[in-house]
């Protein structure tokens, strides 16, 4: 018997192709005798299919499921990760987005690859997330979490922002730039890569800080220990009101004097991959690395 019996499904409901793959996946799971639990919005998108499936909120899936399968793009998996990491339920991704670094099963492999995972043939990877909080006058007023990155940026206006950076209580620098990306290894192939940051292997216990268009050519990306704690103080001279986003969501708008704190989340996420998953092959295919 498979270790995964209760299987949650989350889908990119605005995508017709994702809904098609969801229905195909549901039929496969139900034929195999698995208990299917649909996330609420996903259930609404597949009306008429899977009448025996249970329906649950995204958070409750973490309590009820042995495995959650996400059908969509990396953004869909990031959202599921933020909601479910605290429950330690593993996630498996089927790609119905564009790049698909995290959702690595293609639609035409659903029965084959998902079947292998359910039979115990898979690779499990542990990934860490970041917790972010913002305080004003010593009182917290905004927070969020991220699997990829926390980004500080000027918001809707293109203006340089100025801030002080501290790592583990030690002053690092005062920077004027378009912002700063604080990225996990998982996020190193996302926005941080576009900003000139290094690609980090997912197994690394490290965090990279990538300045966005800094006002000095000597300001370069910094890779630090994964247990590091960051404090960013928004300086008084800012004309813009710096925004803080987590994986592009959970936006907090700051004021001069606000303090942003970022550190590793205590709960880790387990990502499940097919048995033939290879990080370097993913990089070759997604980033178009040269093959002789």
């Amino acid at each position: 018997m498979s270790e995964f019996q209760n299987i949650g499904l989350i889908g990119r409901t605005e995508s017709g192709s994702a809904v098609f793959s969801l229905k195909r996946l549901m039929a496969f799971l139900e034929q195999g005798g698995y208990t299917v639990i649909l996330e609420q919005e996903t259930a609404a998108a597949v009306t008429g299919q899977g009448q025996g499936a249970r329906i649950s909120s995204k958070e409750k899936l973490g309590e009820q499921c042995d495995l959650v399968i996400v059908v969509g793009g990396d953004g869909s998996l990031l959202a599921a990760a933020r909601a479910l990491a605290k429950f330690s339920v593993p996630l498996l991704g089927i790609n119905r987005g564009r790049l698909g670094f995290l959702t690595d099963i293609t639609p035409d492999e659903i029965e084959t690859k998902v079947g292998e995972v359910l039979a115990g043939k898979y690779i499990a990877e542990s990934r860490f997330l970041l917790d972010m909080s913002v305080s004003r006058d010593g009182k917290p007023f905004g927070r969020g979490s991220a699997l990829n990155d926390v980004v500080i940026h000027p918001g809707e206006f293109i203006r340089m922002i100025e801030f002080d950076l501290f790592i583990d209580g030690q002053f690092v620098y005062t920077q004027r730039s378009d912002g700063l990306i604080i990225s996990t290894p998982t996020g190193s192939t996302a926005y941080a890569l576009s900003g000139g940051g290094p690609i980090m292997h997912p197994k690394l216990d490290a965090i990279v800080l990538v300045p966005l268009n800094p006002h000095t050519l000597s300001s370069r990306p910094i890779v630090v220990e994964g247990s590091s704690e960051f404090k960013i103080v928004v300086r008084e001279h800012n004309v813009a009101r710096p925004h803080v986003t987590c994986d592009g969501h959970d936006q907090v708008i700051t004021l001069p004097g606000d303090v942003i704190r970022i550190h590793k989340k205590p709960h880790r996420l387990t990502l499940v991959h097919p048995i033939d998953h290879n990080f370097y092959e993913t990089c070759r295919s997604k980033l178009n690395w040269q093959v002789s």
Side-chain angles (χ1 to χ4, degrees):
M1 178 180 289
S2 173
E3 64 185 293
F4 306 125
Q5 288 298 312
N6 300 311
I7 300 175
L9 298 184
I10 299 174
R12 185 181 170 203
T13 56
E14 69 275 15
S15 165
S17 60
V19 171
F20 175 82
S21 292
L22 271 166
K23 292 179 178 180
R24 176 175 165 182
L25 176 60
M26 288 177 63
F28 172 72
L29 294 173
E30 289 171 346
Q31 288 171 8
Y34 297 94
T35 299
V36 176
I37 306 175
L38 292 171
E39 183 266 337
Q40 289 172 333
E41 292 185 12
T42 304
V46 293
T47 303
Q49 179 94 4
Q51 297 298 325
R54 291 155 52 187
I55 299 174
S56 176
S57 66
K58 187 178 291 184
E59 288 73 18
K60 287 292 184 180
L61 288 180
E63 300 174 355
Q64 300 170 346
C65 297
D66 307 313
L67 173 71
V68 172
I69 303 177
V70 180
V71 181
D74 286 348
S76 301
L77 195 137
L78 290 172
R82 293 192 299 273
L84 299 174
K86 62 183 177 182
F87 299 105
S88 300
V89 60
L91 299 186
L92 173 67
I94 295 174
N95 186 27
R96 272 302 191 176
R98 290 187 293 272
L99 199 56
F101 254 98
L102 301 174
T103 50
D104 48 9
I105 294 178
T106 61
D108 59 352
E109 297 176 320
I110 286 177
E111 291 84 0
T112 303
K113 295 298 184 182
V114 174
E116 289 177 358
V117 169
L118 296 177
K121 299 176 182 179
Y122 64 86
I123 297 170
E125 285 186 344
S126 179
R127 306 282 183 100
F128 70 84
L129 293 86
L130 299 174
D131 271 337
M132 179 279 298
S133 64
V134 181
S135 59
R136 182 173 297 160
D137 299 324
K139 299 177 182 178
F141 75 93
R143 62 181 62 252
S145 61
L147 176 59
N148 266 0
D149 49 46
V150 177
V151 180
I152 302 161
H153 59 97
E156 55 190 280
F157 300 108
I158 303 175
R159 293 179 180 269
M160 279 200 169
I161 58 178
E162 189 171 337
F163 54 86
D164 294 332
L165 171 66
F166 299 81
I167 301 177
D168 293 330
Q170 297 184 344
F171 176 70
V172 180
Y173 52 53
T174 297
Q175 186 178 103
R176 294 186 71 240
S177 66
D178 287 346
L180 183 68
I181 304 170
I182 300 95
S183 172
T184 66
T186 302
S188 70
T189 51
Y191 192 22
L193 181 62
S194 299
I199 294 175
M200 297 194 293
H201 193 281
K203 291 183 179 180
L204 283 176
D205 185 13
I207 296 171
V208 63
L209 294 90
V210 181
L212 289 171
N213 301 319
H215 200 233
T216 170
L217 295 178
S218 62
S219 185
R220 310 302 301 162
I222 304 174
V223 179
V224 298
E225 188 174 15
S227 60
S228 301
E229 298 192 0
F230 308 91
K231 182 175 78 171
I232 297 158
V233 181
V234 181
R235 289 179 65 89
E236 299 291 339
H237 305 293
N238 283 287
V239 176
R241 299 178 61 183
H243 292 41
V244 188
T245 58
C246 297
D247 291 344
H249 294 271
D250 299 327
Q251 181 165 279
V252 179
I253 301 176
T254 68
L255 291 176
D258 286 353
V259 177
I260 305 158
R261 298 183 188 275
I262 301 163
H263 57 84
K264 183 190 290 186
K265 197 176 187 71
H267 308 99
R268 298 180 71 94
L269 173 74
T270 299
L271 275 185
V272 173
H273 301 285
I275 196 71
D276 58 354
H277 171 74
N278 181 308
F279 174 71
Y280 303 110
E281 167 59 28
T282 301
C283 289
R284 281 196 299 273
S285 61
K286 305 297 182 182
L287 301 178
N288 297 314
W289 285 357
Q290 183 175 347
V291 179
S292 60

